[in-house]
């Protein structure tokens, strides 16, 4: 069964709404180990995505993902704007090359993860959004075709975000704190978790 445009639209809508609603939480996480702008950055970006939702949902999925990426690059700012922007641009690009949703989700998501890693010169274990995105990718690969895939992805994201707390940041602004970055959840890991869980919730039809 192929992904339907209405499903794609409701996924994007719920993801944007949840990120916007989580701005205060993301702000307070970024106040602890960054400069406190992550909530505002993400809210501004996803409000811009919501504002274009009708146009986005009329595009083919590859173009729609690229539009989301370009919108985030232009509006989010901070380190996370170009990183999330790269994720969606690369995912859209992957979808342009004979990939299809939902069956190629691991390849498409993996292209986004690789783009974040390349752009950020970062890897798993450095206390960034990659510490959620990479485990989610592993679950997408390992549990592909499993009837519980969506629930497993959602649980993976929730567990992965908690695992960022004991990590010491070696990338991004939090790395300036050195050992004082330990003991706090990474804000970008949390926003990635919110996005992933929103996609899961929307696909499972429970909001
Ligand atoms: P800034 O750090 O410029 O204020 P934000 O507060 O919007 O930008 O985003 C911070 C988040 O961006 C971090 O919590 C982290 O998850 C992510 N991040 C920062 N640098 C990198 C990097 N090099 N690779 C991957 N993610 C990163
Ligand atoms: Mg910040």
């Amino acid at each position: 069964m192929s992904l339907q445009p209405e499903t794609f639209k409701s996924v994007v809508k719920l993801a944007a709404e949840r990120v916007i609603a989580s701005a205060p939480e993301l702000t307070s996480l970024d106040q602890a180990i960054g400069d406190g702008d992550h909530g505002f950055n993400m809210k501004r970006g996803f409000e811009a995505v919501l504002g274009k939702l009708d146009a986005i949902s009329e595009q083919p999925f590859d173009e729609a993902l690229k539009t989301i990426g370009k919108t985030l690059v232009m509006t989010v700012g901070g380190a996370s704007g170009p990183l999330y922007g790269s994720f969606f641009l690369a995912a859209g690009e992957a979808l342009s090359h004979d990939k299809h949703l939902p069956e190629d989700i691991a390849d498409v998501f993996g292209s986004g993860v690789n783009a974040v890693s390349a752009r950020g010169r970062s890897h798993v274990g450095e206390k960034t959004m990659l510490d959620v995105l990479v485990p989610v990718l592993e679950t997408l690969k390992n549990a592909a075709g499993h009837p519980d895939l969506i629930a497993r992805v959602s649980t993976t994201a929730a567990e992965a975000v908690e695992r960022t707390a004991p990590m010491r940041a070696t990338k991004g602004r939090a790395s300036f704190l050195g050992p004082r970055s330990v003991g706090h959840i990474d804000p970008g890991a949390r926003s990635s978790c919110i996005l992933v869980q929103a996609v899961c919730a929307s696909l499972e039809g429970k909001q």
Side-chain angles (χ1 to χ4, degrees), residues 117-139:
S117 179
R119 176 102 202 189
R121 295 198 176 91
S122 46
H123 301 280
V124 74
E126 295 187 296
K127 196 179 182 97
T128 71
M129 59 178 73
L130 285 174
D131 290 303
V132 165
L133 297 176
V134 170
V136 165
L137 175 60
E138 292 306 312
T139 298

Side-chain angles (χ1 to χ4, degrees), residues 3-198:
L3 180 65
Q4 297 301 305
E6 313 81 65
T7 307
F8 183 84
K9 185 177 185 180
S10 48
V11 164
V12 175
K13 182 167 184 283
L14 187 65
E17 286 170 351
R18 287 211 179 162
V19 167
I20 293 165
S22 305
E25 180 197 354
L26 296 174
T27 294
S28 83
L29 291 174
D30 199 34
Q31 278 166 346
I33 56 168
D35 56 356
D37 63 350
H38 192 54
F40 182 74
N41 288 344
M42 295 297 284
K43 181 169 184 282
R44 188 174 48 203
F46 280 89
E47 279 174 349
V49 169
L50 267 192
K52 292 184 192 172
L53 185 62
D54 287 336
I56 286 170
S57 54
E58 279 167 18
Q59 293 182 307
F61 297 138
D62 60 335
E63 290 301 325
L65 289 172
K66 291 180 201 171
T67 302
I68 292 170
K70 285 180 207 153
T71 305
L72 296 178
V73 169
M74 287 189 299
T75 56
V76 174
S80 58
L83 292 168
Y84 276 123
S86 304
F87 181 96
F88 285 98
L89 282 167
E93 190 57 34
L95 210 46
S96 305
H97 295 283
D98 209 25
K99 300 282 181 207
H100 303 278
L101 292 177
E103 61 267 37
D104 295 319
I105 183 63
D107 284 345
V108 171
F109 194 90
S111 297
V113 173
N114 287 340
V116 171
S117 179
R119 176 102 202 189
R121 295 198 176 91
S122 46
H123 301 280
V124 74
E126 295 187 296
K127 196 179 182 97
T128 71
M129 59 178 73
L130 285 174
D131 290 303
V132 165
L133 297 176
V134 170
V136 165
L137 175 60
E138 292 306 312
T139 298
L140 285 172
K141 286 182 191 164
N142 298 337
H146 195 283
D148 284 346
L149 177 64
I150 294 173
R152 287 187 187 203
V153 165
S154 188
T155 304
T156 297
E159 291 173 354
V161 78
E162 295 301 323
R163 285 200 301 271
T164 66
M167 291 179 184
R168 175 174 169 163
T170 54
K171 283 282 153 52
R173 223 173 262 280
S175 65
F176 305 156
L177 291 177
R180 282 186 291 130
S181 64
V182 172
H184 303 275
I185 282 172
D186 177 64
R190 181 67 186 130
S191 57
S192 288
C193 174
I194 290 164
L195 285 166
V196 166
Q197 289 198 311

